[in-house]
Amino acid sequence: STFQGDISGGLPLVRFRNVFPAEFTQDQITTRLDYTLYKGDSNGNGLNTLSGSFFYANFPAFDPFSSDTLVSPTPLIKDDRNRTLSVTNTHIFSANIINEVRFGYFYLDNSRRLDERFLADELTNSGQGIFNPASVFAPGAPTQRLARFAGTGNLSDFSVNAPTDIFNQRRQTTLTFADILTSLRVSHAFRLGGEHKRNFYA
């Protein structure tokens, strides 16, 4: 946001806002495979099938509004990526007993960073003569960029510089293992199994 106007002349104080347009691109690939490992006997007993699906997506983006305030002159660069894999093995022992083994892989990276134009020397702590103690332990762009200042009162919708988590690394990986046994008995169905999930964050 920029304030312009001639206080002493005939033009009133004019307020206007300039932002870069938002940009978003997404590339997706989805595939599925079903394969019969064993056809079983004439009654279908012993049938063993394998199925898998895979989802791939890259969706980089340029967000001109990186803050929770209405007016923020610090755009955000995103390079989000998503990978999802699911594999299921189904074995029919008999008409009454079915077993399913499942494996799942989920990966999501929605890390973000500040536009490098806002890391010019004059827009860093050192360029403004400010010392950030955190730079001793974690030197680099996250601690060199100027801290965020947000207005209060009538200026509560205005902020300067990027949010504190602008360089937040948001990578998540989840592994899932499951085994489910189904038993059919006349008018009842019994399901017994377990599932284990392992989450990784970085």
Side-chain angles (χ1 to χ4, degrees):
S1 291
T2 305
F3 293 90
Q4 288 188 352
D6 186 350
I7 302 300
S8 61
L11 293 177
L13 185 65
V14 178
R15 171 180 171 178
F16 64 94
R17 175 174 62 186
N18 293 324
V19 297
F20 295 100
E23 299 175 4
F24 178 83
T25 302
Q26 185 168 23
D27 297 320
Q28 289 187 359
I29 297 176
T30 302
T31 183
R32 179 179 174 85
L33 175 66
D34 294 293
Y35 183 74
T36 299
L37 297 174
Y38 179 67
K39 294 182 179 180
D41 59 21
S42 58
N43 296 320
N45 298 329
L47 175 65
N48 196 341
T49 61
L50 184 69
S51 63
S53 61
F54 178 70
F55 175 76
Y56 167 102
N58 285 345
F59 38 107
F62 179 87
D63 184 1
F65 295 101
S66 62
S67 178
D68 54 355
T69 59
L70 296 179
V71 184
S72 177
T74 51
L76 183 68
I77 305 297
K78 299 179 179 180
D79 190 18
D80 295 350
R81 295 173 294 166
N82 179 218
R83 310 286 186 264
T84 302
L85 173 67
S86 176
V87 179
T88 301
N89 178 267
T90 302
H91 188 94
I92 300 178
F93 291 96
S94 67
N96 298 324
I97 300 178
I98 303 172
N99 190 73
E100 287 184 347
V101 179
R102 301 175 184 172
F103 168 76
Y105 169 82
F106 175 82
Y107 173 80
L108 177 64
D109 181 358
N110 61 352
S111 301
R112 50 197 193 162
R113 58 186 172 86
L114 185 64
D115 190 326
E116 292 182 358
R117 290 172 293 182
F118 288 86
L119 292 174
D121 290 340
E122 61 272 19
L123 296 177
T124 61
N125 287 326
S126 59
Q128 295 296 319
I130 302 173
F131 174 69
N132 183 353
S135 62
V136 176
F137 308 99
T143 55
Q144 274 300 310
R145 63 113 176 100
L146 285 173
R148 177 175 181 263
F149 298 92
T152 60
N154 293 332
L155 296 178
S156 59
D157 289 331
F158 180 82
S159 66
V160 178
N161 301 324
T164 55
D165 65 344
I166 198 80
F167 290 94
N168 198 355
Q169 300 296 310
R170 303 181 179 187
R171 295 187 182 93
Q172 174 187 351
T173 302
T174 301
L175 300 178
T176 303
F177 303 90
D179 191 349
I180 300 174
L181 179 67
T182 301
S183 177
L184 304 176
R185 292 287 184 259
V186 190
S187 59
H188 296 84
F190 300 92
R191 290 171 62 88
L192 177 66
E195 181 179 87
H196 173 73
K197 285 188 177 182
R198 184 72 182 269
N199 297 308
F200 304 88
Y201 300 95

